């Protein structure tokens, strides 16, 4: 074992020295390789972080949301509708909710208004951070909107919602029930939807099935379904970007093939001399293996680290518009850094595999070169 | 088809592997037909050179397929959130009819690949490459069809994955009421299952250790390793999983791969697969020990493999026992 390790160590030392002698060529390939890993890793890290963030944020949302439908459209829920909902053992709590959208022509964006039980006093509102930035308001400022009935309503900004929740609260306005009904001229005793909390998460689907059987005019939105949709959406966007980038991957494989095929006369002579002094074809192949492994390892590691910095410290500036989506009041949020073994393994297969396939045959050609033929030429 | 990086990587790996083996098959056929180590003809010299390429190519393909098995299972587990009804890899694999056949083909390829790699390693130790014909014949007859099958099954599986499919969870597949093989395994009474589990794994351990020390009984080492692999999987389904979940009816062999169960599954499966591959390797290689050129190399290699197999099975058994001991579940009344 020790002999084998020593042999590999010496081979690595020789390979590093050989790479150093062909510095410009090796560096060019290394930079391209690193760039390929960086781009693919950025896409994967950014999408994974977005999906994780969505899951984290939605963890606190209700398990089931019940909406009332009239002619297939979302309609308001009368208070007595709650009584029609059959009592189920698995249901922990049912809360009627009041919320709606308001278009603000000043910033040309939609806000989400929501009435909450722990809202500020009448005439006061809590607003989301993106909205505060867009309108340039601070706590204590007054803000006026012309409601859908034409009347102007003025509110005092009681506070700005926590920036940690910006992904969900960017465009949110929280206010009391009376203010909400007054602003939207919302009919008394009517609600937007009902949030249903379920005790056992594994029972959610059964609860929803029983509810949809009992209430044919209701639409049930499950948190798991929303999460599943987010996952599918991000996966799809990621897949599309990767499919587009596969062209770059192919180009890189061709470059690697070309570089490995076009051995410089100097390198050819080197292999010839090595074989003349007793190296076997297997040794040359092993040396070439270490060359590929060192190059792949360095490129993979540096590409991945650069992608990590790009996504988690520079907010994925290059891919944000494609992968994240777009909105006037887009939330600012920091993605929590994470290293996922599945991603690392996937990335390794996506990058190292094409490179290795591309250089295998040229390496073999180089390794089986006849020493006398090389030295004579 | 669900377009995501792990699926793209798996399909790329399977396609490149099959393409590499298929493109090299004419050369493999030539090696099987014309290999004459005692000849100094131009053709023989060309073939000798070609063996290097073929050997490196196949080694690379097979090593990547071994990594692909890990990715396949890991990804199936991770994708469970995307299917209604799925709780772990079982739900993902049951999302259409090709999931489990694809996994089984990948496992078969893992063992075939590991045996081939060991055969190749032994061949390269000898000066006159006495196993060239055999290993390239095995490549054409076993590995090429198997990589083709893996590619076809993965293509069918991933190509037919639909996000709106309602799949069934492991609770229904590994339930005593299920009329399938998995149901039968789950319904096995724990005491006989435990006896079979400990007996088979200990037998494999002892047979491999015996070969390591006495260099005798290679076929027993190989056969007992294969038997231990099957018995271990049966045991995990029948009772080890129950102790890990601390639940008397949850038999799933995939949920143990999840973070909420401490990734115990990887701790069990990695030594089990490695030990089984080494043990099978002993059975595959030992019959060639008498060949000229391999007489000195092969017994030492087989003994080393048997040592690793014994150590792997012992580690697997120790970990399984530790998991059972530390569990709060009481499955057997004393």
């Amino acid at each position: 074992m020790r002999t084998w390790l020593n042999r590999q160590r010496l081979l690595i030392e020789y390979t590093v020295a050989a790479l150093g002698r062909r510095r410009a060529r090796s560096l060019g390939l290394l930079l391209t390789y690193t760039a390929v890993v960086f781009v693919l890793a950025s896409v994967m890290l950014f999408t994974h972080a977005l999906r994780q963030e969505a899951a984290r944020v939605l963890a606190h949302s209700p398990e089931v949301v019940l909406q009332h439908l009239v002619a297939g459209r979302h309609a308001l829920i009368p208070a007595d509708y709650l009584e029609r909902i059959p009592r189920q053992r698995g249901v922990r709590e049912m809360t009627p909710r009041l919320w709606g959208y308001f278009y603000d022509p000043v910033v040309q964006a939609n806000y989400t208004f929501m009435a909450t039980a722990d809202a500020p006093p009448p005439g006061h509102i809590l607003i989301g951070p993106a909205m505060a930035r867009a309108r340039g308001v601070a706590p204590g400022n007054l803000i006026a909107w012309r409601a859908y009935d034409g009347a102007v309503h003025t509110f005092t900004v009681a506070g700005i919602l926590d920036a940690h929740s910006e992904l969900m609260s960017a465009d949110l306005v929280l206010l009391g029930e009376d203010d909400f009904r007054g602003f939207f001229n919302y009919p008394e005793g009517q609600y937007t939807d009902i949030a249903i909390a379920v005790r056992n998460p594994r029972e959610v689907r059964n609860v929803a099935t029983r509810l949809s059987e009992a209430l044919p005019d209701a639409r049930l939105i499950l948190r798991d379904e929303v999460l599943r949709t987010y996952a599918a959406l991000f996966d799809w966007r990621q897949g599309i970007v990767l499919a587009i980038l596969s062209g770059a991957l192919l180009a890189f494989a061709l470059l690697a093939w070309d570089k490995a095929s076009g051995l410089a006369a100097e390198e050819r002579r080197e292999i010839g001399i090595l074989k003349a002094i007793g190296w076997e074809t297997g040794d040359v192949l092993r040396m070439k293996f270490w060359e590929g492994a060192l190059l792949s390892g360095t490129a993979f590691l540096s590409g991945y680290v650069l992608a990590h910095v790009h996504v988690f410290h520079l907010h994925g500036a290059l891919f944000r518009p494609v992968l994240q989506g777009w909105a006037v009041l887009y939330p600012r949020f920091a993605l929590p850094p994470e290293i996922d073994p599945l991603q690392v393994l996937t990335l390794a297969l996506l990058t190292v595999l094409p490179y290795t396939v591309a250089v295998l045959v040229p390496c073999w050609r180089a390794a089986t070169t006849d020493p006398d033929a090389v030295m004579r030429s | 088809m669900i377009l995501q990086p792990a699926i793209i990587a798996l399909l790329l790996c399977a396609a490149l592997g099959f393409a590499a083996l298929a493109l090299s098959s004419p050369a493999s056929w030539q090696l099987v037909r014309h290999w004459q180590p005692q000849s100094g003809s131009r053709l023989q010299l060309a073939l000798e050179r070609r063996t290097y390429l073929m050997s490196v190519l196949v080694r690379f393909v097979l090593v990547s397929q071994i990594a692909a098995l890990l990715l396949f299972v890991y990804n199936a587990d991770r994708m469970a959130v995307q299917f209604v009804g799925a709780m772990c890899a079982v739900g993902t694999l049951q999302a259409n009819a090709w999931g489990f056949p694809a996994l089984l083909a990948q496992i078969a390829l893992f063992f075939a690949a590991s045996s081939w790699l060991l055969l190749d390693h032994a061949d390269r130790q000898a000066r006159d490459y006495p196993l060239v014909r055999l290993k390239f014949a095995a490549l054409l007859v076993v590995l090429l069809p198997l990589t083709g099958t893996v590619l076809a099954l993965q293509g069918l599986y991933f190509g037919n994955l639909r996000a709106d499919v309602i799949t069934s969870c492991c609770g229904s597949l590994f339930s005593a009421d299920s009329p399938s093989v998995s149901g039968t395994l789950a319904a096995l009474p724990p005491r006989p299952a435990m006896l079979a589990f400990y007996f088979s794994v200990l037998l494999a351990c002892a047979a491999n250790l015996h070969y390591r020390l006495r260099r005798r009984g290679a076929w027993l080492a190989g056969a007992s390793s294969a038997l231990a692999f099957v018995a271990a999987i049966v045991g995990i389904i029948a009772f080890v999983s129950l102790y890990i979940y601390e639940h008397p009816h949850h038999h799933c062999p995939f949920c143990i791969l999840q973070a909420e169960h401490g990734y115990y599954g990887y701790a069990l499966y990695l030594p089990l697969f490695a030990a089984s591959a080494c043990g099978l390797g002993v059975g595959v290689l030992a019959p060639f020990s008498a060949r000229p050129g391999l007489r000195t190399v092969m017994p030492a290699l087989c003994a080393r493999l048997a040592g690793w197999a014994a150590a792997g099975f012992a580690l697997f058994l120790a970990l399984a026992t530790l998991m059972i001991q530390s569990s709060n579940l009481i499955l057997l009344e004393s």
Side-chain angles (χ1 to χ4, degrees):
Chain A
M1 191 69 180
R2 186 171 290 173
T3 324
W4 184 85
L5 283 176
N6 262 336
R7 197 181 164 89
Q8 303 309 314
R9 186 178 58 81
L10 293 170
L11 272 171
I12 293 172
E13 276 176 14
Y14 178 82
T15 311
V16 172
L19 283 171
R21 283 195 293 276
R22 301 186 295 273
R23 202 167 292 142
R25 190 167 156 269
S26 312
L27 211 63
L29 192 60
L30 183 70
L31 285 177
T32 322
Y33 202 162
T34 307
V36 169
V37 175
F38 164 76
V39 171
L40 292 179
S42 293
V43 173
M44 290 169 70
L45 282 172
F46 193 69
T47 321
H48 180 71
L50 277 179
R51 201 169 34 201
Q52 294 294 102
E53 188 63 15
R56 245 189 301 274
V57 167
L58 285 172
H60 303 292
S61 66
E63 281 89 0
V64 183
V65 171
L66 188 149
Q67 293 180 342
H68 183 213
L69 296 182
V70 173
R73 306 284 295 173
H74 178 198
L76 301 186
I77 294 190
D80 60 1
Y81 197 88
L82 271 173
E83 267 127 61
R84 278 179 56 202
I85 300 176
R87 298 282 159 240
Q88 291 192 47
R89 216 175 288 162
V91 173
R92 184 158 45 91
E93 198 179 9
M94 287 194 286
T95 321
R97 301 193 305 181
L98 278 172
W99 59 269
Y101 296 125
F102 176 74
Y103 179 73
D104 185 358
V106 176
V107 291
Q108 297 183 331
N110 269 310
Y111 302 143
T112 306
F113 276 59
M114 193 166 198
T116 57
D118 49 355
H124 289 72
I125 54 170
L126 290 169
I127 62 170
M131 183 187 152
R133 281 196 300 271
R135 288 291 302 245
V137 288
N141 290 168
L142 291 175
I143 193 163
W145 286 300
R146 191 181 161 88
Y148 290 126
D149 61 357
V152 174
H153 294 253
T154 307
F155 296 98
T156 308
V157 177
I160 310 236
L161 291 163
D162 192 0
H164 292 299
S165 65
E166 185 162 344
L167 199 60
M168 293 303 273
S169 65
D171 62 347
L172 192 64
V173 177
L174 290 179
L175 66 176
E177 185 175 337
D178 292 340
D179 280 342
F180 181 89
R181 289 190 188 279
F183 185 74
F184 284 110
N185 206 6
Y186 214 86
E188 278 302 323
Q190 306 256 352
Y191 293 93
T192 315
D193 57 21
I194 298 169
I196 299 173
V198 180
R199 224 168 255 129
N200 179 358
R202 297 191 174 193
E203 275 296 302
V204 172
R205 191 154 286 277
N206 294 336
V207 168
T209 309
R210 284 197 290 268
L211 284 176
S212 63
E213 280 166 6
L215 304 165
D217 59 345
R219 174 165 59 194
L220 293 145
I221 299 164
L222 274 64
R223 184 176 64 194
D224 283 355
E225 291 292 348
V226 178
L227 271 173
R228 201 166 286 129
T229 311
Y230 269 120
L233 177 76
F234 288 132
D235 272 349
W236 179 78
R237 282 186 181 175
Q238 185 178 211
I240 292 290
V241 174
L242 288 183
I244 294 166
L245 290 177
S246 62
L249 205 62
L250 190 68
F252 166 67
L254 284 174
L255 175 82
W257 169 285
D258 189 52
K259 287 268 179 194
S261 307
L263 281 186
E266 184 65 20
E267 198 179 346
R268 207 175 274 275
R269 217 168 66 91
E270 194 175 300
I271 291 173
I273 293 169
L274 286 174
K275 291 189 84 172
I277 59 167
W279 279 45
E280 290 178 9
T281 305
D283 295 325
V284 181
L285 273 176
R286 241 164 262 139
M287 186 259 283
K288 284 279 165 197
F289 160 79
W290 280 117
E291 188 180 304
L294 287 171
L295 208 65
S296 292
T298 315
F300 189 82
L301 212 65
S302 38
Y304 193 81
V305 169
L306 284 173
H308 209 270
V309 172
H310 168 229
V311 170
F312 297 114
H313 300 283
L314 304 173
H315 310 292
L318 290 176
F319 298 105
R320 210 175 174 102
V322 187
L323 295 170
Q324 184 180 266
W326 177 89
V328 174
L329 294 183
Y330 211 95
R332 277 185 199 163
F333 56 92
L335 293 167
E338 200 174 341
I339 294 176
D340 179 21
L342 177 74
Q343 272 190 337
V344 176
L345 189 57
T346 306
L347 192 63
L349 279 183
L350 278 175
T351 51
V352 179
L353 205 67
Y355 170 77
T356 316
V357 170
V359 299
L360 261 179
V361 175
C363 285
W364 165 74
R365 280 220 182 99
T368 49
T369 317
D370 272 335
D372 61 331
V374 176
M375 283 189 282
R376 265 188 218 136
S377 67
Chain B
M1 181 173 166
I2 296 174
L3 200 62
Q4 57 143 272
I7 293 179
I8 297 173
L10 282 167
L11 287 175
L12 178 77
C13 186
L16 280 179
F18 179 67
L21 292 193
L23 288 175
S24 64
S25 59
S28 301
W29 178 237
Q30 220 177 7
L31 275 164
V32 173
R33 282 193 63 197
H34 302 296
W35 180 256
Q36 298 285 347
Q38 62 279 26
S39 159
S41 68
R42 185 180 286 270
L43 176 65
Q44 176 60 21
L45 287 176
L47 289 178
E48 276 177 24
R49 279 185 185 171
R50 206 167 287 165
T51 52
Y52 284 106
L53 173 67
M54 304 288 290
S55 188
V56 171
L57 194 70
V58 180
R59 262 185 283 157
F60 157 73
V61 166
L62 300 183
V63 169
S64 65
Q65 286 299 329
I66 290 170
L69 172 63
L70 197 64
L71 184 64
F72 187 82
V73 177
Y74 198 8
N75 184 52
D77 186 50
R78 192 63 77 78
M79 279 180 73
V81 287
Q82 297 191 24
F83 297 98
V84 176
M87 310 290 277
C88 65
V90 171
T92 313
L93 294 172
Q94 288 214 101
N96 65 41
W98 306 106
F100 272 104
L103 175 66
L104 293 177
Q106 191 85 48
I107 291 175
L109 181 57
F110 168 83
F111 284 117
S114 58
S115 297
W116 196 95
L117 287 171
L118 291 172
L119 208 61
D120 178 59
H121 180 71
D123 187 46
R124 283 185 294 116
Q125 302 288 307
R127 301 294 303 178
D128 54 346
Y129 304 108
L131 300 174
V132 161
R133 279 196 165 156
L134 178 84
K135 69 183 190 187
F136 285 106
L139 178 77
L140 289 171
V141 178
V142 182
L143 289 176
L144 182 63
L146 210 50
T147 41
T149 311
V150 166
L151 174 63
L153 287 171
Q154 282 194 7
L156 284 166
Y157 172 53
F158 291 128
N160 289 302
L161 267 187
R162 301 276 176 272
D164 55 353
V165 161
I166 297 179
T167 179
S168 46
C169 75
C170 49
S172 63
L173 184 69
F174 293 99
S175 130
D177 304 328
S178 169
S180 58
V181 178
S182 53
T184 314
L185 297 181
L188 283 177
R191 202 180 293 272
M194 267 187 202
L195 285 174
F197 174 84
Y198 277 99
F199 174 76
S200 312
V201 182
L202 281 172
L203 175 69
C205 224
N208 279 293
L209 206 58
H210 179 255
Y211 185 86
R212 173 92 177 88
L213 299 173
R214 300 281 163 88
R215 311 240 166 138
R216 277 208 303 266
W219 66 270
L220 182 66
S224 63
S225 298
L227 178 74
F229 178 76
V230 177
I233 299 290
V234 172
I236 288 173
I237 296 171
F239 70 94
V240 178
S241 56
L242 303 183
Y243 282 107
I244 295 174
Y245 307 129
E246 300 188 343
H247 188 296
H249 300 296
H250 192 187
H251 290 275
C252 180
F254 291 92
C255 284
I256 53 174
L257 296 169
Q258 294 180 334
E260 61 181 289
H261 300 295
Y263 297 114
Y264 279 11
Y266 291 102
L268 286 177
Y269 290 131
L270 289 178
L272 176 65
F273 272 73
S276 305
C278 290
L280 281 174
V282 176
V284 170
L285 296 185
F288 306 107
S289 296
R291 288 207 177 183
L294 288 172
R295 277 197 197 112
T296 47
V297 182
M298 198 64 107
L301 175 64
C302 287
R304 231 175 19 241
L305 282 175
W308 286 336
F313 281 124
L315 178 65
F316 166 75
L317 209 58
L319 287 171
T321 310
L322 196 70
M323 287 169 195
I324 293 169
Q325 280 293 318
S326 56
S327 170
N328 291 312
L329 179 75
I330 300 168
L331 199 61
L332 300 176
E333 296 289 345
S334 55

